Amino acid sequence: MDIYFSARDKNGFVTGLGKNDCQLFEENKLQTIKNLTAEKNLPLTIGILLDTSGSQTNVLPLEQESANRFLREVITPKDEAFLISFDVNVDLLADFTNSPRELERAIDKASINAASSSAGIPGIGGGPMPTSNPRGTLLYDAVYLAAHEKLSTQTGRKIMVLLTDGGDQGSQETLKSAGEAAQKSNAIVYVILLADHPFYGGFGGAYNGRAEMEQLAHDTGGRVIDVGNSGRKLEDAFDQIQDELRTQYLASYTPENKTADGKFRKIHLDCGKGLDIQARKGYYAIPGDNLSNN
C-alpha cells in the first residue's frame, strides 16, 4: 500500500523524514512502514478540471493563464496531464500528453457554456454525458469520470486540480460517489475556489459548495485554496501546489489485514508533535487489488 503525503511545521514544508520518524495506523492498528522516501522525481499524472459554467464567465481567463503557467513549470517529459471542462456537459479537451504547448492550446480553447446540453459536442466518452437535468454544472460527474476513466489506470503520483466555485447542479454522480472514485484511483484532489463576484452580486454566497469541496479534498490528501477572483492569489495557489509536489513523500506498507473485502479502511499517519501531515484518509480494499502495493 502506497501513501503519498506532505509534512508541514510552522515554518513550512518539512524535508528529510525517514521511516523511523513516522507511525502509520490502519483502523487504529499500528502498521510496519517498509519504506519512506522523498518522491519529488516520480512520474506525475495531472488532471486539470476547468469549470466553464456561466458563473465563471469573468474568471475563466484567469484560470486559463494560471493553469498554463503551472503546467509549463511542472510538466517534464516523464509526466502526463489531461484537461477536462465541465458545465452542462463534461468534455475531454486534451487527452494524456507531456506537451505543455498542446495542453495550452486546449486550455485556451475552453469557453463558457451556459446553454442546455446539446448532442453535437464531444464529451469524455465520445459525446456529452447524458443527464436527467440538462442545465447545471456537472462538477461531481467530472470528478468521477476523471478518476474512474482516466486516473485509475495510471501508476505513480496522481493529482486532480479543480478550478471551480464549488457549486454542482445536475450531476448524476454524488459527492460520495465522486469522492469514492477519487480515493479508489489514489488521486490527490486540490480545489482552487474561484468566484466571479459580480456574477453573485458581490454577495458571499458564491461558495455554496465549499463544505463539499473541503470534504473531497481532505479525504484524498489534498486541500482547498480560496482565491476569490484574484489573479495573484490564483498564481499563489498553483505555486503552493507545486511546493507540495516537490516535497512529497511516499510511505509504503503491507496491511496486516490482507482481505480484499471492498470495505473502506481508515489510515492515519503521525510524524511527531508539531507536524501537520497531509495524506489521504483511507483506502478501499478492492477485490483483485494487490494490497501490498496499491
Side-chain angles (χ1 to χ4, degrees):
M1 177 63 58
D2 291 341
I3 308 296
Y4 294 93
F5 72 96
S6 58
R8 277 196 196 89
D9 63 15
K10 61 183 180 180
N11 297 315
F13 290 103
V14 174
T15 58
L17 293 176
K19 68 178 182 179
N20 294 328
D21 298 314
C22 300
Q23 290 184 312
L24 196 151
F25 299 86
E26 179 177 303
E27 294 295 337
N28 296 319
K29 294 181 180 179
L30 184 64
Q31 308 290 307
T32 301
I33 298 175
K34 293 192 297 186
N35 296 292
L36 195 154
T37 53
E39 291 297 350
K40 62 181 178 180
N41 294 319
L42 261 187
L44 178 66
T45 304
I46 302 173
I48 301 287
L49 276 61
L50 278 176
D51 186 340
T52 48
S53 61
S55 64
Q56 299 299 89
T57 299
N58 291 330
V59 292
L60 180 61
L62 295 177
E63 296 177 0
Q64 291 167 315
E65 180 181 346
S66 297
N68 281 329
R69 185 178 70 90
F70 171 73
L71 290 169
R72 282 196 304 269
E73 294 177 359
V74 169
I75 292 291
T76 70
K78 66 178 182 296
D79 303 321
E80 286 191 314
F82 63 93
L83 174 69
I84 286 174
S85 68
F86 60 94
D87 38 62
V88 294
N89 299 311
V90 179
D91 295 323
L92 181 65
L93 301 184
D95 209 342
F96 291 117
T97 178
N98 62 2
S99 167
R101 183 170 295 180
E102 188 176 327
L103 290 162
E104 186 170 348
R105 281 198 295 265
I107 289 172
D108 289 344
K109 285 181 180 177
S111 59
I112 296 296
N113 180 14
S116 61
S117 182
S118 57
I121 301 173
I124 193 167
M129 183 170 174
T131 175
S132 57
N133 180 359
R135 291 182 181 274
T137 306
L138 306 185
L139 190 161
Y140 299 152
D141 287 348
V143 171
Y144 179 89
L145 289 165
H148 186 69
E149 294 194 10
K150 309 304 294 181
L151 290 171
S152 64
T153 60
Q154 303 299 301
T155 58
R157 297 189 297 162
K158 295 177 274 191
I159 71 166
M160 195 186 303
V161 181
L162 275 71
L163 294 113
T164 180
D165 60 11
D168 179 278
Q169 182 187 10
S171 282
Q172 292 185 346
E173 300 298 332
T174 63
L175 173 64
K176 184 175 187 292
S177 63
E180 286 181 4
Q183 287 174 314
K184 288 175 180 177
S185 72
N186 198 9
I188 299 171
V189 178
Y190 294 94
V191 181
I192 299 178
L193 278 181
L194 291 121
D196 175 8
H197 293 304
F199 179 87
Y200 291 98
F203 184 66
Y207 299 122
N208 58 350
R210 169 132 197 177
E212 289 81 358
M213 295 300 97
E214 292 277 7
Q215 182 179 334
L216 179 65
H218 178 266
D219 288 350
T220 61
R223 60 194 179 97
V224 170
I225 308 173
D226 186 345
V227 302
N229 60 356
S230 165
R232 180 186 57 78
K233 287 183 179 180
L234 180 57
E235 290 198 358
D236 287 346
F238 275 117
D239 287 342
Q240 290 176 43
I241 295 172
Q242 277 195 69
D243 288 342
E244 289 187 21
L245 294 175
R246 292 192 186 105
T247 55
Q248 228 169 22
Y249 293 94
L250 171 62
S252 301
Y253 75 104
T254 299
E256 289 186 9
N257 181 358
K258 298 180 178 62
T259 306
D261 54 13
K263 294 180 180 179
F264 184 77
R265 298 180 188 167
K266 293 181 181 179
I267 54 177
H268 174 68
L269 190 61
D270 185 347
C271 297
K273 188 176 180 180
L275 286 189
D276 178 28
I277 303 300
Q278 192 171 306
R280 60 174 167 155
K281 301 305 177 268
Y283 70 95
Y284 288 87
I286 302 170
D289 275 5
N290 179 4
L291 296 186
S292 64
N293 187 24
N294 182 0

